[in-house]
Amino acid sequence: MKILGIETSCDETAAAVVAEGTKILSNQIASQVEIHARYGGVVPEVASRQHILSIIPILEKAMSDAGTTWKDLSAIAVTIGPGLAGSLLVGVNAAKAIALAHGLPLIGVNHLEGHIYANWLDNQSIDFPVICLIVSGGHSDLVLMRGHGDYVILGRTRDDAAGEAFDKAARILDLGYPGGPAIERAARGGTASIPLPRAWLKGSGDFSFSGVKTALLRLVEAGKISSVADGAASFQGAVIDVLVTKTLVVARERRVKQILLAGGVAANGLLRKWLVECSPLPVLVPPPVLCTDNAAMIAACGYYRLKAGKSGGLDLDVVPSLKLA
Ligand code: KG4
Ligand code: ZN
């Protein structure tokens, strides 16, 4: 069963064809990062206009790379939220047009659920129940997953998401955009020697990263950070310490079998290494290119939804503030 996935929730125009929910036949991503970098962040109006320019060429490339015809497809899975309304609309309308023209079922996918399903690509074997740590530009969620499509939210961010905190810290340290990869690169040349606060929020699965960001800002303003590399390493270490420690506490409490890492921040090498080394349970992490936004993860999620008999019609609409559970 081949599914075409479409993802346009933020600043990547992406299309992919995935077979049986696990095998990537093509995975095309047109990044807008250079366009938004000059503004220091994603400009929604610019993003939606760019999606309009990229969507058709990206779809055509994804189909030709996969050696697939429209007749070979079983369904189209598209991100309906959460994300930027104008950006989501481009993907959803493209999906509807293809579904109408070729009589295919439509599956609306939650972007965060898509991030989790990146773990099914690459044929990893997953054993429920699992704890998923979803860390992206807009979310830091701890989720108990008891089966396909069965989620219990155990914690979320109370202020800045992990990726957002990385992006803001990079701005404070003048490292440019996008901040996560810039902090990780700079940190390689430094040591985590600057004491920064950690918000443990004991007894709760929630996260808070605005305090560590503000602490970094105050130190920079006071001229107390002599090395940008040490600043980056200390910030990265503080955020990852909290993410890993709280994930392991919740995994132990819930007696799960595995831990799944997902979302753009899961591309961070130190987070991946730290979690794998500290966890007594198996930790699954998609390859970095499948952690950041892509459409293969949307197609993978769509496959399990279709198998569960859940598909929709042409009344599908975007839901910019869509919740996972
Ligand atoms: O999942 P994603 O691609 O888009 C959203 O759904 O938000 O995540 C993007 C976020 C950005 O905040 C980016 O700075 C962060 O993921 N990120 C990283 C790394 N690569 C991307 N954060 C830390 N280390 C990285 N290597
Ligand atoms: Zn994402």
Side-chain angles (χ1 to χ4, degrees), residues 111 115 136 293 297:
H111 179 79
H115 273 303
S136 68
D293 288 351
M297 66 186 196

Coordinates of all heavy atoms in Angstrom, one line a residue, residues 111 115 136 293 297, ligand 2:
H111 N 0.4 17.0 12.8 CA 1.9 17.2 12.6 C 2.7 16.5 13.7 O 3.7 15.8 13.4 CB 2.2 18.7 12.5 CG 3.6 18.9 12.3 ND1 4.2 18.8 11.0 CD2 4.6 19.3 13.1 CE1 5.5 19.2 11.2 NE2 5.8 19.5 12.4
H115 N 5.4 13.4 13.6 CA 6.8 13.4 14.2 C 7.0 12.0 14.9 O 8.0 11.4 14.7 CB 7.0 14.5 15.1 CG 7.5 15.8 14.4 ND1 8.7 15.8 13.7 CD2 7.1 17.0 14.4 CE1 8.9 17.0 13.2 NE2 7.9 17.8 13.7
S136 N 10.0 20.0 19.4 CA 10.1 20.7 18.1 C 10.1 22.2 18.4 O 10.3 22.7 19.5 CB 8.9 20.3 17.3 OG 7.7 20.9 17.9
D293 N 11.1 18.6 10.0 CA 9.9 18.4 9.2 C 10.1 17.7 7.9 O 11.0 18.1 7.1 CB 9.3 19.8 9.0 CG 8.7 20.3 10.3 OD1 8.6 19.6 11.3 OD2 8.3 21.5 10.3
M297 N 7.1 11.1 7.3 CA 6.5 10.8 8.6 C 5.0 11.0 8.5 O 4.2 10.3 9.2 CB 7.1 11.7 9.7 CG 6.8 13.2 9.5 SD 7.7 14.2 10.7 CE 6.7 15.7 10.6
Ligands
ZN2 ZN 7.7 19.7 13.1

